[in-house]
């Protein structure tokens, strides 16, 4: 492989082809590609490659809409390699201001030539025609079809937009512009949260070390724009670990205190487990369970790196609770498996998942929540959380559980008014998230 063939744009084109061909998750493709083909890339080129793969994936609906209007053939009928080259070129022209237009065009045309599929001329013509138009796009008229207009502008499928609309309504957010603001926020490059190991340093010291800022709603989280060398080093040294603010809020809502017995029923990769152990000042017991035994090493190694000796990890289906712990836990976190529609800013390929494929999840979530509830002692706390924005998976699941379990009631929390709340990126600046806090009655 020549140096040019291993450049960031060439590697991005290969990855885009692999994603569409194999249906692989973008983060796994990026990690594998950088390891095998991109080992010699500079940090800047690694960043460019990553941005191109994630960006083209994220904006695919928008890019194909533009191709359909600029090319003589619809995007869906094109050779896949030529279509990917056009997407790559248009993405740079539309969304990457630091790349000169002439470089975006010439580099993309060169890539198209190397495909050997005879479409370089068309790629050149489409990109240059788009430039001559002043990069003008005739968007769909929202007065004619508001959902289609949102779909094209934000590159989020119509079916998922409707899911978000229902989630907003469930939280009483029905004002004009709410849905558009949410979709915009879901496309914004997210900040990275670092949960500070407060056994070793203060949040202020961590913020100074990485040049970050303290979270407004989770003060032991430091927010940074990218994982710098200092941030990576601190992770390796156990000074902090990556955790979004909303995830931290869910763990904080559990209210774990020193000396207590706490269970995390769907623990991997372990961020909330570690947060609760830190809240307990590493005193007591945190039982981390997960269905996938092969992932438990993430919890064990993470706890060791952070010097959290109270954490134990074991494989167990949350629907089948450990009989030795039933009725004995002071606090339980049930971060249930979900559709993940709240984190598409970090996992852009999730937006193309058909929402109908998640219809079975509420049933599983209710079973998982029932299992988690069995651990809670009278007077103890149960928190149910997800990283999605779906009424069926969030409010409906929590309310169905409460209807079936009169011995549990919603429990007021400073950040969970009324006992449960959905967190929205455009309102809270966090991932899309949901948490419900419940107490087991003593009578």
């Amino acid at each position: 492989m020549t140096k040019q063939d291993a450049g960031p744009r060439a590697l991005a084109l290969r990855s885009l082809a692999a994603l569409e061909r194999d249906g692989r998750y973008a983060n796994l493709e990026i990690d594998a590609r950088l390891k095998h083909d991109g080992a010699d890339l500079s940090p800047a080129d690694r960043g460019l490659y990553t941005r191109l793969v994630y960006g083209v994936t994220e904006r695919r609906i928008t890019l194909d809409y533009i191709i359909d209007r600029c090319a003589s053939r619809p995007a869906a009928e094109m050779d896949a390699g030529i279509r990917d080259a056009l997407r790559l070129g248009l993405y740079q022209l539309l969304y990457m201001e630091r790349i000169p237009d002439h470089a975006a065009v010439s580099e993309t045309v060169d890539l198209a030539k190397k495909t050997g599929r005879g479409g370089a001329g068309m790629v050149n013509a489409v990109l240059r025609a788009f430039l001559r138009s002043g990069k003008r796009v005739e968007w769909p008229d929202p007065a004619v079809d508001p959902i289609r207009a949102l779909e094209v502008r934000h590159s989020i499928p119509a079916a998922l937009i409707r899911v978000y609309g229902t989630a907003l309504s469930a939280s009483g957010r029905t004002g004009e512009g709410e849905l558009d603001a949410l979709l915009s926020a879901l496309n914004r490059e997210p900040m990275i949260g670092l949960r500070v190991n407060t056994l070793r340093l203060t949040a202020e010291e961590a913020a100074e070390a990485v040049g970050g800022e303290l979270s407004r709603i989770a003060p032991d989280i430091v927010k940074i724009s990218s994982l710098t060398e200092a941030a990576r080093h601190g992770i390796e040294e156990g000074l902090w670990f990556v955790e979004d603010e909303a995830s931290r809020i869910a763990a904080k809502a559990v209210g774990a205190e020193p000396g207590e017995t706490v269970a995390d029923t769907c623990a991997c990769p372990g961020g909330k487990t570690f947060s609760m152990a830190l809240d307990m000042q590493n005193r007591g017991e945190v039982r981390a369970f997960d269905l996938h035994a092969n992932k438990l090493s993430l919890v064990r190694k993470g706890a060791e790196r952070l010097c959290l000796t109270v954490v134990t990890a074991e494989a167990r289906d949350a629907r089948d609770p450990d009989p030795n712990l039933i009725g004995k836990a002071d606090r339980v976190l049930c971060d249930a498996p979900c559709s993940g529609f709240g984190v598409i800013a970090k996992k852009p390929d999730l937006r193309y998942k058909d929402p109908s494929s998640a219809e079975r999840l509420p049933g599983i979530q209710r079973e998982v929540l029932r299992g988690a509830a069995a651990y809670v002692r009278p007077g103890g706390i149960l928190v149910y959380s997800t990283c999605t924005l779906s009424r069926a998976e969030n409010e409906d699941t929590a309310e169905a559980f409460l209807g079936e379990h009169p011995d549990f009631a919603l429990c007021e929390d400073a950040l969970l008014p009324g006992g449960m709340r959905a967190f929205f990126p455009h309102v809270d600046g966090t991932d899309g998230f949901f948490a419900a806090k419940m107490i087991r009655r003593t009578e």
Side-chain angles (χ1 to χ4, degrees):
M1 185 184 297
T2 67
K3 186 174 181 180
Q4 190 173 12
D5 289 339
R9 291 177 178 84
L11 292 184
L13 193 62
R14 288 198 193 94
S15 285
L16 292 170
L19 289 174
E20 201 154 357
R21 182 184 63 243
D22 303 330
R24 194 175 191 183
Y25 286 121
N27 63 323
L28 299 179
E29 166 62 24
I30 287 170
D31 289 346
R33 187 73 60 179
L34 285 174
K35 184 180 293 184
H36 293 103
D37 297 335
D40 295 330
L41 289 178
S42 67
D45 280 348
R46 290 169 72 92
L48 174 58
Y49 158 78
T50 302
R51 169 78 185 275
L52 289 172
V53 176
Y54 275 134
V56 172
T57 300
E58 177 182 271
R59 294 290 181 174
R60 193 166 72 207
I61 293 174
T62 305
L63 297 172
D64 285 359
Y65 175 85
I66 296 170
I67 291 171
D68 288 348
R69 273 139 194 83
C70 294
S72 58
R73 187 184 314 162
E77 297 177 11
M78 287 182 178
D79 173 87
I82 297 303
R83 182 175 60 237
D84 282 337
L86 273 173
R87 288 170 174 168
L88 200 62
L90 286 168
Y91 180 80
Q92 293 172 79
L93 292 176
L94 269 174
Y95 300 109
M96 301 191 72
E97 294 178 357
R98 293 186 180 181
I99 294 179
D101 290 345
H102 67 85
V105 174
S106 61
E107 293 279 357
T108 304
V109 172
D110 286 345
L111 282 177
K113 288 176 181 176
K114 288 183 170 58
T115 65
R117 289 165 175 166
M122 182 178 68
V123 170
N124 184 57
V126 169
L127 296 181
R128 293 194 182 280
F130 185 62
L131 280 179
R132 284 195 301 273
S133 75
K135 303 182 187 179
R136 187 172 61 88
V137 181
E138 292 185 9
W139 303 106
D141 186 348
V144 174
D145 189 341
I147 295 295
R148 176 59 176 162
L150 290 171
E151 179 180 46
V152 171
R153 279 188 174 275
H154 297 291
S155 195
I156 296 176
L160 184 52
I161 290 174
R162 294 187 181 94
V163 171
Y164 291 141
T166 302
L168 286 166
S169 296
S171 293
R173 298 194 171 275
T174 56
E176 185 177 351
E178 283 276 356
L179 184 54
D180 185 69
L182 171 58
L183 300 180
S184 293
L186 286 165
N187 280 332
R188 203 170 293 142
E189 190 167 353
M191 297 284 281
I192 298 169
L194 300 177
R195 165 67 158 108
V196 180
N197 184 346
T198 46
L199 297 176
R200 299 182 59 183
L201 74 167
T202 66
E204 290 78 10
E205 289 169 336
E208 184 177 354
V210 297
E213 61 184 54
L214 294 181
S215 163
R216 175 178 53 86
I217 57 176
D220 43 23
I221 294 278
V222 173
K223 297 167 68 175
I224 55 176
S225 57
S226 62
L227 272 180
T228 61
E229 191 60 38
R232 293 180 190 278
H233 178 72
I235 291 172
E236 293 169 1
E237 294 298 310
L239 299 179
W240 46 72
F241 57 93
V242 174
E243 185 175 33
D244 183 78
E245 292 163 287
S247 172
R248 170 64 186 128
I249 290 165
K252 182 75 171 175
V254 173
E257 297 183 357
E260 291 186 327
T261 297
V262 175
D264 187 352
T265 63
C266 305
C268 291
K272 296 180 190 67
T273 300
F274 307 147
S275 255
M276 293 186 294
L278 289 171
D279 288 339
M280 296 164 65
Q281 300 172 28
N282 200 34
R283 300 189 339 244
E285 181 182 26
V286 183
R287 301 279 300 277
F289 301 105
D290 201 89
L291 176 63
H292 304 286
N294 61 325
K295 294 182 179 180
L296 288 172
S297 61
L298 296 171
V299 179
R300 295 185 181 112
K301 289 177 181 178
E304 183 178 359
R305 188 165 53 245
L306 294 160
C307 299
L308 296 174
T309 56
V310 297
V311 174
T312 59
E314 57 189 281
R316 178 167 287 277
D317 189 328
R319 294 167 290 189
D320 179 26
D322 180 352
N324 296 316
L325 190 60
I326 288 177
K328 296 179 181 178
D330 298 292
R331 303 175 193 268
V332 176
L333 174 63
C334 177
D335 186 50
C338 69
S339 57
F341 291 145
V343 294
I344 67 169
K346 294 174 179 172
K347 299 179 179 180
D349 34 12
L350 281 180
R351 71 187 58 211
Y352 304 112
K353 184 171 158 184
D354 184 350
S356 67
S357 68
E359 289 176 357
R360 63 184 181 83
L361 285 172
I364 295 172
Q365 290 158 347
R366 291 179 190 184
E367 292 177 7
V368 166
L369 189 49
R370 286 188 206 108
Y375 290 132
V376 184
R377 65 165 176 79
I381 295 295
L382 171 65
V383 171
Y384 170 73
S385 66
T386 73
C387 61
T388 195
L389 294 173
S390 161
R391 177 172 183 160
E393 297 179 60
N394 294 341
E395 290 89 350
D396 289 354
T397 294
E399 289 167 2
F401 169 81
L402 289 167
E404 296 169 358
H405 295 79
D407 53 333
F408 280 86
L410 288 172
C411 180
E412 191 74 24
D413 186 275
L415 282 167
L416 302 175
M420 65 178 168
R421 176 184 170 189
F423 292 82
F424 293 95
H426 70 299
V427 177
D428 305 295
T430 66
D431 286 342
F433 221 84
F434 173 83
K437 183 173 183 175
M438 296 163 274
I439 187 169
R440 188 166 198 170
R441 304 177 196 272
T442 55
E443 296 178 356

